[in-house]
Amino acid sequence: MKRQILALATVGVTVAGAAAIYALVDRSNDSAAAPSNANAFNCSTFQIPAPTGATVESLTATAVPAGTFQVPGTPPLGGYPVPDVPAHCEVTVTVTHPGANDHAKVQVWLPESGWNGRFQAVGGAAYAAGNIGSVAAAVKQGYAVGTTDAGVDTSGLNSSWALNPDGRINTALLENFSSRSVHELAVVGKQVVNDVYGHAASYAYWNGCSTGGRQGYMEAQKYPTDFNGINADAPAINWNQFEVATLWPQVVMNQAHTYPTTCEFNAFNQAAVKACDPQDGVADGLISDPSHCNFDPRSLIGTKVACDGKEYTISEAVTEVVRKIWDGPRDGNGRRLWYGLPIGADFSNLTASTTGPDGVTVGAPFPVPAQWVANFVEKQPAFDTASLTYAQFDQIFHQARSEFDSAIGTADPNLSAFRDAGGKIITWQGDADQLIPTAGTVDYRNRVDAQLGGTAEVDDFYRVFLAPGVAHCALTGSNDMTALTAWVEHGQAPDVLRADLTNATGQTVSRDICRLPFVSHYNGDGDPASPASFRCVAPTP
């Protein structure tokens, strides 16, 4: 299984196909400055100071021989093997906070030999704060690597910890999941590295996608000196806006009493790709700039589509459902609340529905936003998010922001402290992200520009790369961590990221992913499967 564990973090898992749960790991094998006592290795129980405001409940250290690691749990976050894991020391530190009755576990794996001198912390997915499978994969790359469970369920799709027995929010666990445990992972992880190897890591990095991406941004915003470099991809920032907004397709279908089939939804995406693909100079099955794709879904009214032995005629009602989903949520006065599903992104996660024996079709909301609204906003685990009206949606959207933005919003654009500490951030996101609107990440970057002096100034420490045709946390073959370490350690800021893309015909092509605000454009000749045939240009106004 490729070390791409997709980040369920807003779970790129189609519940049917388990599509996305990610905490990416470095492909780089180059070492940081090798310390003089690099051969020191002490895998035995020791004492470490507790993070501020916490108590260390327990610490264990176990020497583990080389072999295959079977990740515990069930797919997609667990239930698969990681072969060829080197001999390493596994240190587990459990911390608690006075009065919280929480037990947050930090796990750090440290290679017995071949350590590259760096500490990497990896993030989680959906409602899981970390992922031990990503730890096993990263230690193979020579890192001392750690993760945390934040004291909550590790399956990723269980947020039952949200409420205390009295029905109130468990604020301690929410704080752990939102920010505190990742900071404590950084503090504890660095101390463990120092005690096992006898000296500190030369550099500390964060690496995560989706929830893991949000965790990276929270670190930059709230604990700006924890990491030298942060790789935070498809980030679940603007948490309350995008979480509630991903229920919008269900609201639209419910209010229209119209539940289009998968075939009908796919027809709109296929038509949009056909219409907007050539805008980058070549018809290669990829839309390089979906934000400038002005495909009108009404052009498909009356079109017939066939699948599974049935023929469907695109109706005006189906077209209006698609138009509203692409447009995104608006309030009763027509004002935009957040962004919609990107054109070209798969509809299936957010528009799932079921038809009963009586022939009645009802929505099947994606579990991550459904649980956020039911468990946290409404504080009623049985709350029905499949039957929301527009008015209810508007009320829930604003309530979520009012109640939880300060805890988990992760939307503060003031990254000046992280910049001043010398930190660097790389973010990539797929232009066809079906779970977290790409426009929300662009919106955040634009707000950072406005806060800190403009694009050129912010590019000195923070760069965003948008990948054509890529779904949530699904970029493969990326040199993101290699690029980040080169930037942090050698001052080589990346203008592009190299990655593999899959076009509409299923062909894999290598491409240079342009940094925002530039987009990829065909040179006019050459093989469209070669990155040399494209250049990064300013987008069409």
Side-chain angles (χ1 to χ4, degrees):
M1 181 174 182
K2 293 183 179 177
R3 206 46 318 154
Q4 197 205 335
I5 310 189
L6 292 171
L8 230 150
T10 286
V11 190
V13 179
T14 92
V15 177
I21 312 191
Y22 335 70
L24 306 177
V25 301
D26 191 4
R27 292 76 169 166
S28 169
N29 288 316
D30 60 321
S31 297
S36 58
N37 58 343
N39 292 326
F41 188 77
N42 175 31
C43 186
S44 60
T45 301
F46 45 84
Q47 291 186 336
I48 63 171
T52 301
T55 300
V56 173
E57 285 190 310
S58 64
L59 184 153
T60 62
T62 305
V64 178
T68 295
F69 175 67
Q70 183 67 28
V71 181
T74 58
L77 281 178
Y80 61 90
V82 180
D84 304 319
V85 176
H88 60 280
C89 182
E90 292 185 10
V91 178
T92 301
V93 181
T94 302
V95 301
T96 187
H97 304 86
N101 192 32
D102 61 340
H103 311 280
K105 183 187 298 181
V106 173
Q107 296 187 68
V108 185
W109 291 18
L110 308 98
E112 184 176 336
S113 62
W115 179 41
N116 63 18
R118 304 179 181 105
F119 171 66
Q120 181 183 146
V122 299
Y127 293 111
N131 188 291
I132 198 64
S134 297
V135 171
V139 80
K140 293 173 61 174
Q141 302 293 330
Y143 284 97
V145 54
T147 197
T148 178
D149 68 4
V152 302
D153 185 89
T154 59
S155 67
L157 287 177
N158 180 5
S159 63
S160 60
W161 51 265
L163 301 174
N164 287 316
D166 61 5
R168 294 183 300 173
I169 293 293
N170 188 322
T171 55
L173 290 184
L174 177 60
E175 182 180 1
N176 283 358
F177 178 73
S178 300
S179 59
R180 179 165 60 186
S181 287
V182 174
H183 170 59
E184 292 176 346
L185 164 61
V187 173
V188 170
K190 291 177 186 178
Q191 185 63 51
V192 169
V193 167
N194 188 77
D195 287 350
V196 170
Y197 289 120
H199 57 81
S202 299
Y203 298 95
Y205 293 94
W206 175 263
N207 197 4
C209 191
S210 197
T211 282
R214 184 199 65 77
Q215 291 168 315
Y217 274 89
M218 181 64 84
E219 279 290 291
Q221 293 167 14
K222 193 169 183 178
Y223 301 104
T225 62
D226 278 354
F227 295 100
N228 304 104
I230 292 174
N231 187 47
D233 305 321
I237 55 175
N238 310 298
W239 177 272
N240 290 292
Q241 293 102 309
F242 99 81
E243 282 291 11
V244 180
T246 46
L247 290 175
W248 176 251
Q250 294 287 329
V251 178
V252 170
M253 294 188 301
N254 175 58
Q255 291 287 269
H257 306 292
T258 300
Y259 294 86
T261 64
T262 299
C263 287
E264 290 171 303
F265 279 126
N266 288 344
F268 284 94
N269 266 340
Q270 291 162 4
V273 170
K274 183 177 180 180
C276 298
D277 176 10
Q279 291 177 351
D280 62 3
V282 63
D284 60 351
L286 294 168
I287 303 176
S288 289
D289 186 12
S291 66
H292 286 86
C293 177
N294 297 315
F295 172 73
D296 186 349
R298 292 173 297 183
S299 64
L300 288 192
I301 294 176
T303 300
K304 297 183 183 300
V305 296
C307 69
D308 299 330
K310 297 181 180 179
E311 185 176 76
Y312 302 91
T313 300
I314 302 295
S315 67
E316 185 173 353
V318 166
T319 299
E320 184 64 6
V321 166
V322 170
R323 186 194 69 78
K324 286 186 175 181
I325 290 173
W326 275 347
D327 181 58
R330 293 181 181 271
D331 66 14
N333 296 313
R335 291 186 294 261
R336 179 179 300 283
L337 295 174
W338 199 240
Y339 303 97
L341 186 74
I343 290 179
D346 183 66
F347 284 89
S348 61
N349 288 96
L350 305 187
T351 62
S353 62
T354 60
T355 301
D358 57 359
V360 175
T361 300
V362 296
F366 193 62
V368 178
Q371 288 188 35
W372 180 253
V373 169
N375 290 342
F376 289 88
V377 183
E378 294 295 326
K379 302 165 189 64
Q380 301 174 46
F383 183 80
D384 179 16
T385 56
S387 305
L388 294 176
T389 65
Y390 287 124
Q392 287 175 312
F393 177 90
D394 193 8
Q395 183 272 324
I396 287 171
F397 185 91
H398 289 95
Q399 180 183 340
R401 296 208 61 189
S402 175
E403 189 170 355
F404 295 105
D405 265 6
S406 61
I408 197 174
T410 324
D412 183 358
N414 187 359
L415 299 179
S416 59
F418 183 78
R419 174 201 61 195
D420 295 346
K424 310 295 183 188
I425 304 177
I426 285 178
T427 285
W428 59 253
Q429 185 164 4
D431 270 326
D433 193 318
Q434 76 277 30
L435 297 177
I436 299 178
T438 311
T441 301
V442 175
D443 179 276
Y444 176 80
R445 169 60 205 245
N446 289 338
R447 290 190 294 113
V448 175
D449 288 353
Q451 177 86 24
L452 299 183
T455 300
E457 289 77 5
V458 174
D459 271 352
D460 285 343
F461 75 97
Y462 170 29
R463 297 190 174 193
V464 175
F465 301 81
L466 302 184
V470 172
H472 185 62
C473 291
L475 192 65
T476 60
S478 171
N479 65 336
D480 48 6
M481 283 298 293
T482 303
L484 182 60
T485 55
W487 194 7
V488 168
E489 298 172 22
H490 306 293
Q492 299 170 359
D495 284 324
V496 297
L497 294 181
R498 177 64 56 85
D500 297 328
L501 306 182
T502 302
N503 63 25
T505 66
Q507 179 187 13
T508 299
V509 297
S510 182
R511 185 70 60 83
D512 286 337
I513 310 303
C514 301
R515 67 180 170 92
L516 201 68
F518 302 105
V519 296
S520 181
H521 198 276
Y522 184 57
N523 286 333
D525 55 29
D527 183 359
S530 170
S533 300
F534 293 81
R535 67 186 187 278
C536 294
V537 302
T540 302

